[in-house]
């Protein structure tokens, strides 16, 4: 029996690994997401029944549970060098001559490989007998940081190689190097989320990616949607308890004769290899490639800042060796950022969703790094004052990290110069409330987050969202309609809506109107910590909200607290404390709280019933209890689920997070198995919750 299960597990794992590879590496999925999810759920269910058979290469093990305390420093078996740079054709030719193109070395038929230089974070991956056992950052080149748990969350990095059967054997110890990158689309989405949370924006995908890889909690890394392109492989040996490189020349050449071959080999083993590469017979082929990609790289979803040119023959690479800093056999052509000049037609104020007011230059359209630019951020009023940009001026613009247009500075004053520098607004352009700056921040904000019309839509979307008051049936489209119809301005207005008002809106029937009103009504009973999340206090997410709600128990007590009292709470720092006190000092907050009380919202942590919230480990999860459990009654189990933020449900569907099953479980268990919903015993369920209180 156990052997059968083991075989079934192996089959599921290798099927999933191949589909994962097709999806994340080749971008050519051959099954639908639902089919993939189905296979995945089968694996989860089988592993839940046989936890002793879970292996580290299982796709369920990409994200571990435990955040680490810190990151260990580990020496690199082979030093990671950096690259020398060339900026023009003469320098490139000079590099080539020194690399043997003066006839001193036999460079072969195809002397060069040119590759797009991706702007990310260099990593070194170590595989032992095909299993990913360690990942290090570059660090100072000699010692790196251990980022294994985080790198395991990157789907395009195989946990086990070869991903599919392959003729070339994988060496016992293999080091693979490459670049971890954050796709531009993920970077932009991340910054949007950061803005919504009132958090600092990342300057470019490289910084955001580096931050993600160095998170102590791998779940945070997993959420950042990273990718990795590999470009180098070395065979290593295990000597005297450490992994070492016995002989450099042997280590590469044993795998392949040319760099091009070793890239192809990496691809065959299942790694993602930079598709923008070319084997070049002459230096002028290299130059053509460079000029083609200076333009075309802007069409890609990854940031790149140049082209790496490498000597193709690995024997020649070994003969050339390294200077103190960089290999003689490679160099990087750096693309200078494109800078253009254009005229500032106006300076507008843009109000971010969290009330940050940003000056934006409206420009005479100009073609820049692949797109036509008509607006460019002036970042903040301090920057604007420093650059002293005025309407009518001719300014220099470039794209920061090739992505976000920015004004570098004034090139020439306008023909009819504005007499004064631009003055930062003292009132919010949308609602007239005073603007203010938090200490230590450069951002200027509208002080009225609750009723400022520019922030309305997002505030309301946030209010009804899952981690906040979780009002099913009221989504962004409905909120938009309700604002347009003048029915709602503030969250309190939600609780005054009538079925009739809703039913007259587009695409809203009587039934869905009733459901939405019922969901709004039910949300009044949500416990305090969810209400705190809903209010959108800066720096207060689910975790902090729970820490605040537990000791105070009700909103009035929290609203009257001091920074000192807040800091005394374990897990609450001065930043959160300041933000909470500032929020409750706002007159608009007080008005809203009074309204919410009159409207009958629960302002205590006691939930609907007398329920103490222990954690939010099961937040947003729908869980079914079935059969007779060994120690808990059904009610006790359901109370536990609620106490950890979950929702007990009575029937099993695809949306069920998991089922807790006991003796004589019947149709619900069968259905869970059929749908591939994980089934947990009471013991496993309790184990999961153990460290979360
Ligand atoms: S080869 C011995 N190839 O550029 C150094 N590096 O300064 C060999 N990079 O952070 C590096 N794309 O990670 C090489 N196709 C590529 C690359 C590449 C990006 C990064 C590298 C390092 C920096 C070198």
């Amino acid at each position: 029996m156990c052997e059968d299960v083991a075989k079934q597990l192996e089959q599921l794992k290798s099927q999933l690994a191949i589909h994962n590879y097709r999806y994340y590496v080749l971008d050519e999925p051959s099954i639908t997401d639902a089919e993939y999810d189905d296979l995945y759920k089968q694996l989860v269910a089988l592993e839940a029944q046989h936890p002793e058979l879970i292996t580290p290469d299982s796709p369920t093990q990409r994200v571990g549970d435990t955040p680490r305390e810190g990151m260990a420093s580990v020496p690199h078996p082979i030093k990671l060098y950096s690259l020398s740079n060339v900026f023009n054709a003469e320098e490139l030719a000079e590099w080539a001559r020194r690399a043997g193109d003066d006839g001193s070395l036999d460079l072969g038929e195809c002397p060069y490989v040119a590759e797009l230089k991706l702007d990310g974070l260099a990593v070194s991956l170590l595989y032992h007998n095909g299993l990913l056992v360690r990942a290090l950052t570059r660090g100072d080149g000699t010692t790196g940081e251990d980022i294994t748990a985080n790198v395991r969350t990157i789907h395009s990095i195989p946990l086990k190689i070869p991903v599919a059967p392959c003729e070339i054997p994988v060496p016992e110890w293999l080091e693979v190097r490459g670049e971890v990158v954050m796709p531009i689309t993920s970077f932009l989405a991340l910054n949007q989320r950061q803005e919504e949370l009132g958090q600092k924006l990342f300057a470019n995908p490289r910084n955001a990616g580096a931050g993600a890889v160095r998170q102590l909690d791998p779940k945070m890394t997993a959420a950042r949607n990273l990718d990795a392109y590999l470009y180098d492989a070395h065979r290593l040996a295990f000597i005297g308890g450490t992994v070492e490189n016995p002989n450099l020349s042997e280590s590469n050449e044993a795998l392949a004769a040319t760099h091009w071959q070793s890239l192809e080999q990496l691809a065959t083993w299942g790694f993602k290899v930079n598709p923008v590469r070319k084997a070049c017979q002459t230096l002028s082929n290299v130059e053509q490639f460079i000029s083609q990609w200076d333009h075309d790289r802007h069409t890609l979803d990854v940031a790149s800042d140049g082209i790496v040119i490498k000597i193709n023959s690995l024997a020649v690479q070994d003969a050339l060796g390294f200077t103190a800093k960089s290999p003689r056999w490679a160099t990087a052509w750096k693309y200078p950022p494109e800078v253009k000049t254009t005229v500032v037609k106006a300076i507008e104020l843009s109000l971010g969703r969290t009330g940050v007011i940003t000056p934006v230059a409206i420009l005479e359209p100009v073609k820049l790094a692949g797109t036509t630019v008509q607006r460019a951020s002036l970042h903040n009023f301090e920057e604007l004052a420093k650059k002293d940009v005025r309407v009518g001026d001719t300014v220099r613009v470039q794209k920061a990290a090739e992505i976000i247009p920015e004004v570098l500075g004034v090139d020439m004053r306008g023909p009819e110069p504005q007499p004064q520098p631009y003055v930062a607004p003292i009132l919010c352009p949308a609602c007239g409330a005073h603007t203010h700056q938090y200490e230590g921040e450069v951002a200027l904000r509208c002080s009225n987050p609750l009723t400022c019309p520019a922030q309305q839509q997002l505030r309301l979307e946030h209010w009804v969202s899952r981690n906040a008051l979780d009002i099913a049936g009221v989504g962004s489209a409905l909120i938009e309609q309700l604002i347009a119809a003048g029915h709602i301005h503030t969250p309190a207005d939600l609780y005054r809506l009538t079925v009739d008002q809703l039913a007259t809106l587009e695409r809203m029937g009587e039934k869905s109107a009733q459901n939405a009103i019922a969901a709004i009504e039910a949300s009044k009973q949500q416990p305090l910590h969810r209400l705190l999340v809903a209010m959108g206090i800066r720096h207060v997410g689910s975790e902090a909200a729970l820490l605040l709600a537990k000791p105070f128990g009700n909103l009035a007590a929290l609203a009257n607290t001091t920074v000192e009292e807040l800091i005394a709470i374990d897990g609450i720092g001065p930043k959160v404390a300041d933000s909470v006190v500032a929020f409750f000092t706002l007159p608009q907050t007080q008005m809203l709280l009074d309204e919410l009380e009159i409207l009958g919202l629960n302002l205590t942590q006691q939930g609907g019933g007398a329920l103490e919230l222990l954690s939010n480990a099961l937040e947003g999860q729908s869980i079914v209890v079935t059969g007779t459990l060994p120690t808990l009654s059904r009610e006790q189990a359901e109370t536990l689920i609620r106490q950890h933020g979950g929702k007990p449900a009575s029937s099993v569907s695809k949306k069920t997070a998991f089922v807790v099953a006991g003796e004589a479980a019947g149709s619900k268990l069968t259905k869970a198995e059929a749908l591939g919903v994980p089934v947990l015993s009471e013991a496993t369920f309790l184990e999961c919750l153990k460290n979360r209180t």
Side-chain angles (χ1 to χ4, degrees), residues 15 79 94 157 190 212 229 234 247 249 319 347 411 487 556 646:
Q15 260 177 304
K79 183 173 164 178
E94 176 58 24
I157 293 183
L190 171 67
Y229 292 87
H234 300 277
N247 176 338
S249 57
I347 294 176
D411 193 50
H487 293 324

Side-chain angles (χ1 to χ4, degrees), residues 378-435:
L378 289 157
H379 299 298
N380 54 58
F381 294 97
E382 275 180 25
E383 278 286 314
L384 174 52
K386 224 187 286 166
K387 291 175 184 156
D388 191 11
V389 176
R390 304 184 197 183
V391 175
D393 290 355
T394 298
V395 289
R396 277 170 284 116
V397 285
Q398 78 169 25
K399 282 188 180 170
E402 307 278 324
I403 299 170
I404 303 162
E406 62 179 4
V407 173
L408 288 173
V410 176
D411 193 50
M412 208 170 56
R413 272 280 171 251
E416 294 160 32
Q418 302 274 308
Q420 299 292 331
Y422 192 88
V423 182
I426 47 170
L427 300 179
C428 167
C431 73
H434 275 277
T435 56

Side-chain angles (χ1 to χ4, degrees), residues 160-202:
K160 188 179 174 187
I161 51 167
V163 169
C166 131
E167 278 172 21
I168 308 158
V170 176
E172 185 187 354
W173 289 96
L174 178 74
E175 190 203 12
V176 180
R177 293 177 175 185
E179 201 82 354
V180 167
V181 295
M182 182 178 283
I184 295 171
T185 41
S186 308
F187 161 73
L188 295 174
L190 171 67
N191 261 358
Q192 193 175 337
R193 281 201 303 278
Q194 289 288 105
E195 195 187 337
E196 283 166 11
L197 290 169
Q199 310 273 6
K200 223 177 128 220
L201 301 191
F202 292 99

Side-chain angles (χ1 to χ4, degrees), residues 81-83 115-118 122 178-179 231 308 310 327 329:
Y81 288 85
S82 51
L83 288 169
E115 295 165 24
L116 194 67
K117 183 170 187 297
L118 302 177
E179 201 82 354
Y231 52 66
V308 184
K310 297 175 183 169
W329 45 262

Side-chain angles (χ1 to χ4, degrees), residues 255-302:
L255 295 173
T258 62
H259 176 62
W260 187 261
Q261 281 171 7
S262 66
L263 290 177
E264 298 208 314
Q265 197 167 83
L266 282 171
T268 318
W269 282 332
F271 292 98
K272 199 165 188 168
V273 177
N274 191 338
V276 183
R277 62 178 194 269
K278 191 177 163 70
C280 299
Q281 290 178 338
T282 64
L283 216 48
S284 79
N285 291 156
V286 172
E287 282 163 18
Q288 270 162 20
F289 184 82
I290 290 172
S291 61
Q292 180 195 345
W293 285 98
D294 189 6
H295 177 261
D296 289 358
R297 73 205 156 105
H298 299 302
T299 60
L300 303 173
D301 195 21
V302 277

